[in-house]
Amino acid sequence: AQSVTQLDSQVPVFEEAPVELRCNYSSSVSVYLFWYVQYPNQGLQLLLKYLSGSTLVKGINGFEAEFNKSQTSFHLRKPSVHISDTAEYFCAVNDRGSTLGRLYFGRGTQLTVWP
Amino acid sequence: DAGVTQSPTHLIKTRGQQVTLRCSPKSGHDTVSWYQQALGQGPQFIFQYYEEEERQRGNFPDRFSGHQFPNYSSELNVNALLLGDSALYLCASSLYRGSYEQYFGPGTRLTVT
């Protein structure tokens, strides 16, 4: 089974500042990696995904993430945040093996952007 | 193109009762997965249905059961409700042959009193 660790439960930043949300996963086998965003009282929206190829992936709303296989990390970044980015962010892993289709989630990082 | 829909939006039940939650997948998708998200936690995988069969199951007791219909919609049933079953229940749909990308519905908020 996979284990996903989001190192920060809360990240407060000021508007227009850069931000990085950290994610590490446990397995060294081939995986698919995802970041989802959840606004209050809503479901999950896919921000970006890594399936293969370039280790730097770009998503919606100006977010990007970098896959680092040696460090089993998939950190999410944005160079300049907006107040509307305030939300809960979840890192998720899909094992390409026998549990293909099942997502393992981290506990989430609450990003709060202050004016 | 309709996305994933879930019903009801909110539900309040008493301990020991039974509940049924419903999900319609995104158009063109054939696989439905259910997740439980407790307050302050990440979603936890309950099970996945494809071709009307349970294909994978997470670490949930048999009180949690499901069904998939020929039109790919799905139900999640929980028997003998416990206070700890209070959570947001999320349905996700995908394509079985490309099931690495899942689209989530808005969820059903279940409160057990």
Side-chain angles (χ1 to χ4, degrees), chain A residues 14-61:
Chain A
F14 287 107
E15 195 174 19
E16 298 183 6
V19 70
E20 179 180 80
L21 307 184
R22 297 179 291 169
C23 172
N24 287 89
Y25 60 96
S26 60
S27 177
S28 60
V29 299
S30 295
V31 294
Y32 297 124
L33 297 160
F34 306 85
W35 276 98
Y36 285 87
V37 60
Q38 187 175 36
Y39 298 101
N41 301 313
Q42 294 188 25
L44 302 176
Q45 180 183 6
L46 181 65
L47 270 180
L48 49 77
K49 59 184 182 284
Y50 171 79
L51 306 178
S52 65
S54 173
T55 57
L56 183 64
V57 293
K58 295 187 183 299
I60 62 171
N61 301 340

Side-chain angles (χ1 to χ4, degrees), chain B:
Chain B
D1 179 21
V4 180
T5 60
Q6 292 186 244
S7 63
T9 305
H10 296 89
L11 206 51
I12 300 175
K13 290 287 188 178
T14 303
R15 276 178 298 176
Q17 287 188 318
Q18 178 265 345
V19 68
T20 298
L21 310 182
R22 295 176 176 81
C23 171
S24 292
K26 180 179 169 64
S27 177
H29 284 182
D30 56 11
T31 302
V32 173
S33 301
W34 287 92
Y35 293 81
Q36 180 196 66
Q37 185 180 14
L39 199 61
Q41 304 291 322
Q44 298 289 317
F45 177 80
I46 303 175
F47 42 53
Q48 181 184 76
Y49 276 84
Y50 169 68
E51 289 187 330
E52 302 179 47
E53 290 186 11
E54 183 182 292
R55 298 290 176 162
Q56 293 187 62
R57 189 178 183 92
N59 189 25
F60 279 81
D62 291 344
R63 298 187 296 109
F64 289 77
S65 63
H67 189 77
Q68 186 180 35
F69 299 94
N71 67 352
Y72 308 119
S73 67
S74 176
E75 288 182 350
L76 164 66
N77 300 292
V78 187
N79 294 322
L81 284 167
L82 303 174
L83 294 179
D85 295 331
S86 295
L88 180 67
Y89 288 85
L90 295 165
C91 169
S93 76
S94 57
L95 280 171
Y96 192 74
R97 296 301 173 191
S99 59
Y100 43 80
E101 188 167 343
Q102 299 187 18
Y103 293 81
F104 284 81
T108 294
R109 172 74 61 187
L110 172 65
T111 302
V112 182
T113 62

